[in-house]
Amino acid sequence: MTCRESLSCRTTRCCNHPPNRRPHRHMLAYQVVEQQQQIKIKECVLEKQHARLLEEERRLAGAFDARQELQERVEQVQEENRVLKMEYDALLERQRGAEMRLREEEVRGVHLLENMIHPKQQAAARMNSRNERRSRAREANLQKEMQTAARSKVTVDSSSSAPTSRSTSPKSENHESTERRHTRLFRSASATSPRILTSIRELFDRKRRGHSVCSLEEDLMCPVGVCLSARVPVRALQVLEAHEQGINAVRFSSSSDLLATGGTDRVIKLWEVRAGSLTHRATLDGSTEGITCIEFDPTGLRILAASYDKSALLWRLDDSVPKLTLTGHSRKVTAARFSFLHQVVTGSADRTVRLWDLHRAACVQVVEVASYCSDLVCSENCIISGHYDCKIRVWDTRTVSCVQELPAQGKVTSLDISCDHRQLLSCCRDDCLQLVDLRRWSNDRVCFRAEGFKCGSDSTKAVVSPDGCFLAAGSADGAVYIWNVSTGNLQTRLPDKHSSSISAVSWSLSGEYVVSVDKSRLAVLWSDI
């Protein structure tokens, strides 16, 4: 078969089946329509993608602009920080220089104070020497007057007309014997008259203090103190939670505008006393255990504290870190006092009293005691310590030896000495306060008690008012008891502010305020305002 035949045959076959061509065309048309719809759909999706792309491009451009602004801001802040850093470094350098100058000025001030005190001490010694010479001269004149009065004869006539000549009559002899009897009686009376006895008593009541000689009346009329008359508090001005735990010690500074409290929370807090309120000023830390005793130094620039961690610590008021830590006791330190500006005395439960030199930060003397030392105070050339064996011991600082033992009514919990160093107050566990006159060799003692007063612990601290006229102590019932020294009676009782036993009381040297602290973290400021 030729190609032409085959072609004709196919053509004939195709022409013989026309129905099969229409479905194929419909399918192609359907596919075309479907493809067009898909194209439209994709075009819509493409337009949306294009729109999103444009939006993202705009956002990206905005982000780039923001990034540029932030970079500029960062550069500006870095420049400002660099300037501030330079200023801070300059201020820090100035502060260091100022602190160095301040330390130098403080040291210079201490030296100036010592230089001022030394000539005053010399002048006081000269004045005391003159007073002693005058006293001896008065004593010699008094003795001469007594001898003259004893030798002199004074006749007392019973009649107005005295005889001018001696008579030998019995009447005259009787009159002469009567005259001699009157003379002898008057001579005896002149030697023992109340006026001369008073002068002699005043002479022998004079007691040496240092190198001076002063009478008891002069001492009472001219007390040496900060205030002339202390105010007896009548109400509470402020009640605050001063610490996180119980408070053991409280002390006013010599200027009375600063108060220090120490407790079992291991810190000392300083409070400014202004217009009848306490304002927190600073917190001094560094002790690893509770504080038992606090004292300011005579200049008011440092504060000394005893601690349960077997040490005593010394701070400067402008620094929260201890300047010195005095270690050496084997048990807790119960008392720490300034004996001089650069000398400290500590007492401990290890039955020792130690003397420390602050220049060398070293112990220079250890004194073994027969009993637990609960508290101590310092006076001129002596240390007075209280003990659990119901004794108060007086130590001579020059020989570091016990020169006297005073009996107490019970276990001694605290000691305090008046501003003029003439009265010693002790608080004992028998609920009694004992006041000792240090001017008398016999050490006259007066006991003060009150109904309801009870010593709350082995470390309860009592104080003497700055004028020496009142005594104050806190009781286990949460009340402050105040006694009048001259009458021996209870002056007032301040209740209703403490809910637990009062551990310590302090009286400001201005005589205006009293602060009491207790075991439940409360500090109460009392006054008569």
Side-chain angles (χ1 to χ4, degrees):
M1 185 182 292
T2 61
C3 294
R4 188 173 297 178
E5 289 177 356
S6 62
L7 177 61
S8 64
C9 188
R10 287 197 297 273
T11 304
T12 302
R13 192 183 302 118
C14 293
C15 292
N16 292 330
H17 302 281
N20 294 334
R21 185 174 294 178
R22 287 181 182 177
H24 181 68
R25 288 177 182 176
H26 287 299
M27 186 178 297
L28 291 176
Y30 178 76
Q31 291 178 356
V32 169
V33 172
E34 187 178 358
Q35 292 293 331
Q36 287 179 350
Q37 289 179 353
Q38 290 180 359
I39 289 172
K40 288 180 181 180
I41 293 172
K42 291 189 179 293
E43 286 178 353
C44 291
V45 173
L46 183 61
E47 288 178 359
K48 291 180 180 179
Q49 294 290 338
H50 186 66
R52 288 181 60 186
L53 180 62
L54 293 177
E55 185 179 356
E56 293 296 332
E57 287 178 352
R58 287 194 299 269
R59 290 178 60 187
L60 182 61
F64 276 119
D65 293 340
R67 178 176 176 275
Q68 186 67 26
E69 291 179 0
L70 290 175
Q71 285 182 346
E72 294 176 356
R73 179 60 181 165
V74 167
E75 293 176 356
Q76 182 181 358
V77 171
Q78 287 178 349
E79 182 64 22
E80 293 176 355
N81 288 341
R82 188 179 63 82
V83 175
L84 290 176
K85 180 67 168 55
M86 294 175 60
E87 293 178 356
Y88 171 77
D89 292 338
L91 289 175
L92 186 61
E93 190 65 27
R94 290 175 57 188
Q95 181 188 1
R96 289 173 180 170
E99 289 179 351
M100 186 178 298
R101 291 192 296 272
L102 177 63
R103 294 190 186 95
E104 293 175 354
E105 290 297 326
E106 288 176 349
V107 173
R108 182 169 172 269
V110 171
H111 291 320
L112 288 176
L113 182 63
E114 292 176 350
N115 294 335
M116 291 173 59
I117 291 175
H118 183 65
K120 289 183 179 296
Q121 289 177 342
Q122 292 180 343
R126 291 193 296 270
M127 180 65 70
N128 292 335
S129 179
R130 287 196 295 269
N131 291 338
E132 186 174 359
R133 289 197 298 270
R134 292 173 183 174
S135 177
R136 291 176 179 174
R138 288 196 296 268
E139 181 180 354
N141 292 333
L142 183 60
Q143 290 178 353
K144 290 180 180 179
E145 291 176 0
M146 291 172 58
Q147 293 175 359
T148 303
R151 288 194 300 268
S152 62
K153 294 181 180 180
V154 179
T155 59
V156 178
D157 296 334
S158 58
S159 62
S160 58
S161 60
T164 57
S165 61
R166 186 182 297 255
S167 175
T168 59
S169 64
K171 186 176 181 179
S172 298
E173 291 177 359
N174 293 334
H175 179 74
E176 185 176 0
S177 63
T178 303
E179 182 178 354
R180 288 196 193 98
R181 185 167 60 252
H182 286 174
T183 301
R184 286 196 300 271
L185 289 173
F186 185 80
R187 187 182 303 168
S188 175
S190 64
T192 60
S193 64
R195 183 174 180 181
I196 294 178
L197 287 176
T198 301
S199 301
I200 296 173
R201 190 177 299 110
E202 289 178 355
L203 179 65
F204 286 100
D205 277 343
R206 289 169 185 169
K207 180 79 166 57
R208 289 196 179 188
R209 187 172 181 267
H211 296 288
S212 63
V213 177
C214 58
S215 65
L216 182 61
E217 290 78 11
E218 290 173 349
D219 292 344
L220 295 177
M221 292 178 61
C222 302
V224 179
V226 176
C227 68
L228 296 178
S229 178
R231 303 178 184 178
V232 178
V234 295
R235 70 183 185 93
L237 300 182
Q238 186 178 5
V239 180
L240 56 88
E241 285 193 3
H243 286 255
E244 296 179 357
Q245 298 180 23
I247 308 174
N248 299 327
V250 60
R251 180 74 65 172
F252 276 97
S253 66
S254 57
S255 59
S256 299
D257 60 355
L258 195 63
L259 179 77
T261 57
T264 55
D265 57 358
R266 307 176 183 180
V267 298
I268 293 176
K269 290 191 176 182
L270 300 179
W271 308 84
E272 291 184 354
V273 185
R274 292 182 180 177
S277 65
L278 300 176
T279 304
H280 182 255
R281 171 177 170 179
T283 299
L284 309 179
D285 52 16
S287 175
T288 58
E289 294 189 30
I291 303 298
T292 60
C293 177
I294 299 175
E295 182 167 271
F296 287 89
D297 79 334
T299 64
L301 300 176
R302 299 174 298 175
I303 188 168
L304 178 68
S307 172
Y308 280 96
D309 64 2
K310 308 174 187 178
S311 69
L313 301 96
L314 181 70
W315 287 269
R316 294 185 62 87
L317 296 186
D318 56 357
D319 191 357
S320 62
V321 179
K323 182 180 179 182
L324 289 177
T325 301
L326 308 177
T327 59
H329 286 286
S330 60
R331 296 182 64 185
K332 68 177 181 180
V333 180
T334 55
R337 307 289 185 186
F338 285 95
S339 59
F340 295 101
L341 190 60
H342 300 292
Q343 191 176 67
V344 167
V345 182
T346 58
S348 171
D350 62 3
R351 301 183 179 183
T352 63
V353 174
R354 293 174 180 258
L355 278 70
W356 305 82
D357 185 354
L358 297 183
H359 286 301
R360 295 184 292 168
C363 179
V364 296
Q365 188 73 38
V366 180
V367 180
E368 299 287 341
V369 193
S371 177
Y372 182 117
C373 178
S374 58
D375 200 3
L376 57 85
V377 293
C378 298
S379 184
E380 295 179 359
N381 297 324
C382 72
I383 301 168
I384 306 173
S385 57
H387 301 271
Y388 277 10
D389 62 353
C390 306
K391 290 183 180 180
I392 300 172
R393 292 175 171 85
V394 182
W395 306 84
D396 190 337
T397 57
R398 293 164 294 189
T399 60
V400 196
S401 60
C402 183
V403 296
Q404 192 174 8
E405 286 188 357
L406 307 177
Q409 300 297 323
K411 183 188 298 183
V412 180
T413 66
S414 73
L415 296 176
D416 191 35
I417 194 167
S418 60
C419 293
D420 55 11
H421 289 196
R422 297 170 183 173
Q423 301 286 338
L424 175 69
L425 173 66
S426 63
C427 181
C428 300
R429 284 293 277 169
D430 66 338
D431 307 327
C432 173
L433 271 64
Q434 181 175 268
L435 193 64
V436 179
D437 189 349
L438 298 177
R439 294 170 296 176
R440 299 182 182 275
W441 291 110
S442 60
N443 294 115
D444 294 340
R445 294 181 292 275
V446 182
C447 292
F448 297 84
R449 298 179 184 271
E451 183 179 358
F453 174 75
K454 183 175 179 61
C455 186
S457 69
D458 290 343
S459 59
T460 299
K461 295 177 173 58
V463 295
V464 184
S465 66
D467 60 353
C469 296
F470 302 97
L471 310 178
S475 174
D477 61 359
V480 178
Y481 289 73
I482 299 178
W483 288 266
N484 189 311
V485 173
S486 60
T487 63
N489 299 325
L490 185 68
Q491 182 77 18
T492 185
R493 178 179 179 271
L494 307 175
D496 302 333
K497 296 302 177 183
H498 292 280
S499 59
S500 63
S501 176
I502 297 177
S503 53
V505 179
S506 181
W507 206 314
S508 67
L509 293 184
S510 63
E512 186 176 2
Y513 300 108
V514 172
V515 171
S516 56
V517 296
D518 63 21
K519 299 295 184 181
S520 62
R521 303 175 293 177
L522 290 183
V524 182
L525 178 66
W526 306 87
S527 182
D528 67 337
I529 300 174

